[in-house]
Amino acid sequence: MPTKRINLEQETNMHFLTITTIEWIDIFTKMEYFQIICDSLNFCQLLKGLKIFEYVIMPNHLHLITRSINKLSQNISDFKRHTTNEILKLLKQDNRKYILKLLNNSFKRKRSTKIQLWQREN
């Protein structure tokens, strides 16, 4: 299935986004994982021009009502890249081998990546 993209003419409009873990894996079950998401959203607000009106973090996805003064698609891409790296470090540190194995063996992951945390679609 092709990745749904944010229309270039609508980059600065308000959007309701759902960002989901690959295979809907429940990863955000401990406060440390929630904190990575919150810290990353705060960073995007302070330094990348992301405006967040509301958000909620669930065990396997998050919802955002957001807009950006810059390119929203780039902000979300940067957010996903950073949170993936930080959450993978924490998963390894917490010895959550089962989740790491699921992420690594997912049929939905992009072929060029070894491990993928977020689904490509928003």
Side-chain angles (χ1 to χ4, degrees):
M1 174 191 289
T3 302
K4 296 176 185 170
R5 304 274 183 204
I6 296 170
N7 189 316
L8 292 177
E9 292 85 37
Q10 298 176 349
E11 281 277 350
T12 58
N13 291 355
M14 190 177 303
H15 287 79
F16 174 79
L17 299 177
T18 300
I19 304 173
T20 309
T21 60
I22 201 160
E23 307 286 353
W24 288 82
I25 300 169
D26 290 341
I27 293 176
F28 313 120
T29 56
K30 292 173 58 177
M31 187 52 132
E32 295 85 356
Y33 296 89
F34 282 96
Q35 196 61 52
I36 290 171
I37 300 297
C38 292
D39 291 346
S40 298
L41 290 174
N42 287 334
F43 177 84
C44 289
Q45 282 183 294
L46 293 172
L47 299 175
K48 294 188 157 281
L50 188 67
K51 305 292 182 195
I52 299 174
F53 300 96
E54 296 289 335
Y55 72 94
V56 62
I57 303 170
M58 306 301 282
N60 54 20
H61 67 284
L62 63 132
H63 298 288
L64 297 166
I65 298 175
T66 186
R67 64 181 279 240
S68 180
I69 60 173
N70 300 314
K71 290 183 73 174
L72 180 60
S73 57
Q74 187 62 51
N75 280 335
I76 298 303
S77 176
D78 292 347
F79 168 81
K80 284 181 170 182
R81 185 178 313 106
H82 175 74
T83 55
T84 295
N85 291 334
E86 294 302 309
I87 289 169
L88 287 176
K89 286 180 198 174
L90 193 54
L91 287 169
K92 289 174 185 174
Q93 179 183 327
D94 288 347
N95 205 25
R96 294 178 80 180
K97 292 179 183 178
Y98 177 72
I99 292 177
L100 287 165
K101 187 175 182 177
L102 289 174
L103 294 172
N104 191 45
N105 294 326
S106 171
F107 287 106
K108 294 186 177 182
R109 73 178 162 80
K110 190 176 175 183
R111 298 233 187 267
S112 63
T113 58
K114 182 178 178 183
I115 196 164
Q116 184 174 334
L117 177 69
W118 300 108
Q119 290 183 17
R120 294 177 65 203
E121 302 86 15
N122 298 317

